[in-house]
Amino acid sequence: MKMKTALPALLGVIGSALLPQLARADISLIHMQTNHGDVFLELYPDDAPVTVENFLSYVERGFYDGLIFHRVIEDFMIQAGAFDPNLYTYLENDPNVTEPDWWMNPEFYHEPNDSIVNESDNGLLNERGTIAMARQTDVDSANSQFFINLVANTHLDPTSGNDGYAVLGRVIRGLEVVDAIAQMPTHEAADAFEDLPDDPVIIEKMVLIHTFGASSDAFEQTPFLGAADGIERTYQGQGRYTGRQFSQQFESETFLGIDALRWRQTADAAAEGAEGSEAAGIEAFSLLLARDDQENLWVLQYICQEGTGQEERRVDPNNPLDIVPFEQFTDENMLFRLISGDYDPENLADPNHRLILTGSEGTIVHQIVSFSGSLPGLDAYGDELVIVRQTEIHAATIGWSYYHDSVGLVLALQETSDDPADPNYFDPNDPGLTYRERSGWRLSWYGQSAPSFYPDSSDLSDVAFVRLAPGDIRIHRGQGSFAGSPYRLTTARENFLGIHCLVLSETAVAPWARPDRTLWLARDT
């Protein structure tokens, strides 16, 4: 025979609204590890701000770790949030349960925070799989105890004449674990626990995976990435990838309710004589990035060689457990390391500047050798290039990479040689050598495609609003705050990166209202 419970009951009535859809930016993901399996919850702070904040306060201080589901009723709900397994030991010792509030014994009962206001009118219903706060008859008495609905419990929703139970989120993965717990045999214990599982169902750990806000897909200001929805980039392969073109596309995408940025890189078909798509190696990938409310970067998904026979899913897109911090992910590529900011520009000896990778091609060491490098022919970047040298372990240099925080990878030179007679020879410390004098090396173009230029690409005499050709000189008067200052514009033809450019140089005549400026223009085919 079951006796009447002395624990807080679940009261409620009928409601009418719907749960929010999964495509939400502002959610919190919770991983609840139990001795019966893993359950993942998403919480809705927009809809239940007080309730979610209260729940997270327990999660973040580990309050729920080690507690049990003490009330399990098939076809209704499972409830937890107050007692630990010592309750079973206490009940086995024939306790005196006639004392008032005996079930609040600190041997097994965990004292909660103060109660919170009831947010049951937030529009969220007690549907199957939702998580809600348990309470007593007092409408504003919820504190730490919660329950997961096994069915649509409409009688727990609010109506005009009755208060309901506040829903704060739902199970997004692991509902089968919840159902398995609901099937466990239960018994009545000591006039307070009518539906106590025969064996303890323990919450081993409950953790906040991460919280994402509305700007979680914003990476425009991220150094060495600087990407946003709709951006496309292309660049030419170097060394053994010469003749190949790599493309990068960035687009916003919703994943597990998180606004994320998809970074997809693909390799075009290899030049004649190459070995097809396999020649790109790890260069072909799909990466899904998001930024949490603490400005930390996360990798939600990572697929190498996507769409090929060598496809490898290194971060499982169907498992929230596989979501990894970007700094943990960066041990594969120096560009990723730079994006994560895991380096110290003030100390070249920092061990984070050295990356050792072992693969089918042997062991390669990537070493940042300068944070203030320059390169003849790349004058536009001044001395702000990050230079990374690649070497075989205990061997000669085989490649160089040049990065700038405004565009990421600027130039990659692979399979370089220490022998000046070798066509692949390159010495970045030789001021008399410009890379454009070497065949097969090109600037990484960030645009729709690598452009080609007319021989007369410096002639812009027929271009509207320009109409300039090499040798032209113009004088104009400043306007507004520059009124009264004359400016002189001169034009000249200059070869830049092998392209005939029209160089516009503007000089302000005294009193030098602003510094000189120079612009290189060219017309592609």
Side-chain angles (χ1 to χ4, degrees):
M1 179 181 71
K2 289 191 175 183
M3 302 178 68
K4 182 178 180 181
T5 180
L7 292 178
L10 294 171
L11 308 174
V13 288
I14 298 175
S16 60
L18 296 174
L19 276 171
Q21 297 300 308
L22 270 174
R24 299 172 55 86
D26 193 5
I27 64 173
S28 298
L29 294 182
I30 299 294
H31 177 204
M32 182 169 65
Q33 306 170 41
T34 79
N35 61 341
H36 286 263
D38 294 324
V39 178
F40 294 92
L41 309 166
E42 65 174 14
L43 307 182
Y44 305 138
D46 277 356
D47 300 285
V50 174
T51 310
V52 169
E53 181 180 7
N54 174 71
F55 190 87
L56 290 178
S57 72
Y58 290 110
V59 171
E60 291 171 352
R61 66 186 175 97
F63 179 89
Y64 291 125
D65 299 352
L67 300 191
I68 62 172
F69 280 90
H70 62 272
R71 192 177 185 202
V72 173
I73 304 177
E74 187 177 0
D75 295 327
F76 181 27
M77 59 90 228
I78 62 174
Q79 183 173 334
F83 308 98
D84 65 37
N86 290 325
L87 171 65
Y88 286 82
T89 303
Y90 183 86
L91 293 174
E92 289 172 358
N93 293 331
D94 192 24
N96 181 2
V97 295
T98 60
E99 298 180 4
D101 298 336
W102 67 267
W103 45 271
M104 296 177 65
N105 191 314
E107 289 186 26
F108 53 82
Y109 176 72
H110 292 241
E111 187 71 28
N113 298 336
D114 293 338
S115 299
I116 58 173
V117 64
N118 186 7
E119 293 182 308
S120 61
D121 60 351
N122 59 19
L124 307 181
L125 299 182
N126 285 272
E127 298 177 340
R128 168 170 164 77
T130 55
I131 176 174
M133 298 305 297
R135 62 175 175 81
Q136 301 182 43
T137 305
D138 180 357
V139 66
D140 294 326
S141 59
N143 41 57
S144 65
Q145 293 193 47
F146 64 90
F147 61 94
I148 300 176
N149 288 293
L150 301 173
V151 295
N153 289 311
T154 57
H155 63 289
L156 302 182
D157 297 326
T159 61
S160 57
N162 297 282
D163 297 303
Y165 288 77
V167 173
L168 67 152
R170 64 176 160 190
V171 175
I172 59 171
R173 191 157 292 124
L175 193 55
E176 71 282 357
V177 175
V178 175
D179 289 338
I181 293 172
Q183 297 297 317
M184 294 189 62
T186 62
H187 64 281
E188 176 187 335
D191 195 27
F193 298 90
E194 291 184 340
D195 304 282
L196 184 68
D198 291 353
D199 298 307
V201 179
I202 304 172
I203 300 173
E204 296 174 339
K205 194 171 187 62
M206 191 184 295
V207 296
L208 173 66
I209 300 178
H210 30 237
T211 301
F212 296 93
S215 62
S216 55
D217 62 342
F219 288 91
E220 295 93 332
Q221 303 304 317
T222 302
F224 305 100
L225 184 58
D229 184 40
I231 286 181
E232 295 186 10
R233 299 171 177 165
T234 63
Y235 64 95
Q236 300 295 322
Q238 312 298 328
R240 65 191 175 92
Y241 300 127
T242 297
R244 308 208 54 201
Q245 180 170 286
F246 296 92
S247 300
Q248 296 179 342
Q249 298 85 34
F250 297 89
E251 56 186 359
S252 294
E253 182 176 319
T254 299
F255 177 77
L256 283 179
I258 303 165
D259 288 341
L261 185 69
R262 169 74 63 186
W263 175 3
R264 181 175 286 109
Q265 177 163 305
T266 56
D268 291 350
E272 185 177 355
E275 298 178 358
S277 61
E278 293 182 11
I282 200 64
E283 301 296 340
F285 62 83
S286 179
L287 188 66
L288 200 58
L289 290 174
R291 186 190 305 277
D292 66 20
D293 286 345
Q294 304 301 313
E295 295 299 308
N296 300 309
L297 275 63
W298 292 82
V299 178
L300 309 185
Q301 184 186 84
Y302 182 43
I303 306 173
C304 298
Q305 301 297 92
E306 186 177 23
T308 72
Q310 291 79 38
E311 180 172 302
E312 180 183 358
R313 300 195 168 216
R314 300 194 178 184
V315 176
D316 183 358
N318 296 313
N319 186 355
L321 261 184
D322 261 4
I323 297 176
V324 297
F326 195 82
E327 59 267 25
Q328 177 182 333
F329 167 82
T330 54
D331 288 339
E332 183 172 307
N333 184 296
M334 186 59 80
L335 173 58
F336 296 153
R337 173 72 62 85
L338 291 168
I339 292 172
S340 75
D342 190 17
Y343 58 87
D344 180 6
E346 304 301 323
N347 177 21
L348 278 175
D350 189 320
N352 285 322
H353 298 170
R354 194 166 187 257
L355 190 61
I356 302 176
L357 300 178
T358 300
S360 59
E361 300 178 358
T363 299
I364 307 297
V365 179
H366 297 247
Q367 178 76 48
I368 298 178
V369 297
S370 175
F371 286 95
S372 57
S374 60
L375 188 66
L378 294 181
D379 306 314
Y381 298 109
D383 59 356
E384 298 177 351
L385 292 174
V386 177
I387 302 178
V388 177
R389 179 176 61 210
Q390 295 95 47
T391 61
E392 294 179 338
I393 193 74
H394 305 307
T397 299
I398 62 171
W400 301 86
S401 297
Y402 297 82
Y403 301 94
H404 190 270
D405 65 6
S406 65
V407 295
L409 180 65
V410 172
L411 180 67
L413 305 177
Q414 301 297 325
E415 296 183 346
T416 57
S417 169
D418 291 330
D419 180 4
D422 190 311
N424 284 318
Y425 173 75
F426 183 80
D427 181 1
N429 297 314
D430 182 354
L433 177 69
T434 63
Y435 85 92
R436 62 174 177 254
E437 295 172 353
R438 309 258 64 86
S439 61
W441 294 333
R442 298 184 187 176
L443 176 70
S444 298
W445 291 101
Y446 286 85
Q448 295 298 322
S449 61
S452 59
F453 294 88
Y454 288 117
D456 61 348
S457 54
S458 62
D459 184 0
L460 305 181
S461 58
D462 62 345
V463 177
F465 302 103
V466 182
R467 302 193 187 285
L468 288 170
D472 287 350
I473 298 177
R474 291 180 182 174
I475 302 294
H476 63 91
R477 286 277 179 180
Q479 308 297 323
S481 60
F482 301 112
S485 297
Y487 291 87
R488 186 171 187 263
L489 184 69
T490 62
T491 62
R493 180 177 179 178
E494 182 176 319
N495 186 293
F496 179 72
L497 300 177
I499 303 166
H500 295 303
C501 299
L502 180 67
V503 181
L504 280 62
S505 298
E506 183 182 68
T507 304
V509 180
W512 308 105
R514 53 179 161 179
D516 296 348
R517 67 178 71 189
T518 304
L519 181 68
W520 280 260
L521 294 175
R523 176 189 293 180
D524 65 22
T525 53

